Amino acid sequence: MFLDISALEPDWSREQCLRWWSPGQQLLKSIRRYQYWQKHGGIVGRLCTKWHVLEHRFWSVVTAADIPLNCQIQGGLLLPHPNGIVIHPDAVIGPNCLILQQVTIVSGVTIGGHVDLGAGAKIIRPVAIGHHAKIGANAVLLRDVPAYSVAVGVPAQIVVRRESSNILPKLHSDAA
């Protein structure tokens, strides 16, 4: 369950736009393209960044999300219902994460790979969330969450804690 998706290698297919009206994917696409052309530079780069700023503003209004163009999001992010998501530009989000609606992430937060953030979750202090962690709906996170853990409640408490060493032998025995 926890290790089906990689916490280290981004799965870019999760961000693909399968149809034009996919606000979450379109918002991410505008951010990715802006960051690409920002690094590219030159006259063409400046023109393209201006276009992607407009595109980003459009999709930000449509989704009512506040995800800045200079955010630090690794690949494979899923935003199935992006309305009301607020991410500070200094927050770091690992690969293959899932963020549901009305999630708030403040400055200094470091989120590992394949972390699921439930609807309405608030991370209001600079904390670290380990790989494959799950944060429940409407949880208010005030402290670090270790890898492979589940945190729920206000303030969030860890209700399930699994060690990676407990999971890996099971996977290796299934493969044999």
Side-chain angles (χ1 to χ4, degrees):
M1 171 172 72
F2 279 102
L3 294 175
D4 292 334
I5 298 172
S6 174
L8 303 174
E9 291 295 321
D11 180 5
W12 292 101
S13 67
R14 293 165 50 108
E15 291 187 15
Q16 284 182 338
C17 295
L18 300 177
R19 56 186 186 273
W20 183 78
W21 192 258
S22 298
Q25 286 89 357
Q26 292 285 8
L27 179 62
L28 282 173
K29 185 170 79 171
S30 68
I31 292 169
R32 303 279 186 216
R33 287 183 175 172
Y34 171 85
Q35 290 175 349
Y36 170 79
W37 286 108
Q38 184 76 14
K39 289 179 186 172
H40 190 272
I43 295 171
V44 174
R46 282 194 300 256
L47 290 173
C48 289
T49 55
K50 290 179 191 245
W51 169 254
H52 294 301
V53 166
L54 291 174
E55 189 179 38
H56 177 262
R57 286 185 183 168
F58 173 79
W59 289 111
S60 292
V61 169
V62 168
T63 61
D66 184 10
I67 303 173
L69 285 166
N70 61 342
C71 60
Q72 301 172 49
I73 299 174
Q74 294 183 27
L77 179 65
L78 279 181
L79 302 173
H81 306 289
N83 65 314
I85 294 174
V86 178
I87 300 175
H88 193 277
D90 293 334
V92 177
I93 300 175
N96 303 326
C97 289
L98 167 70
I99 300 177
L100 295 176
Q101 65 270 18
Q102 302 297 323
V103 170
T104 300
I105 302 171
V106 300
S107 175
V109 173
T110 303
I111 299 175
H114 189 233
V115 172
D116 295 348
L117 299 174
K122 308 294 185 240
I123 305 172
I124 57 175
R125 288 198 182 144
V127 297
I129 302 173
H131 297 314
H132 300 286
K134 313 280 185 226
I135 309 301
N138 294 316
V140 177
L141 197 58
L142 302 175
R143 60 187 178 143
D144 293 351
V145 176
Y148 307 97
S149 298
V150 177
V152 297
V154 180
Q157 301 294 318
I158 297 168
V159 293
V160 175
R161 182 177 299 191
R162 295 187 178 154
E163 299 298 325
S164 62
S165 60
N166 294 343
I167 296 172
L168 290 176
K170 183 184 238 184
L171 287 176
H172 291 300
S173 65
D174 290 344

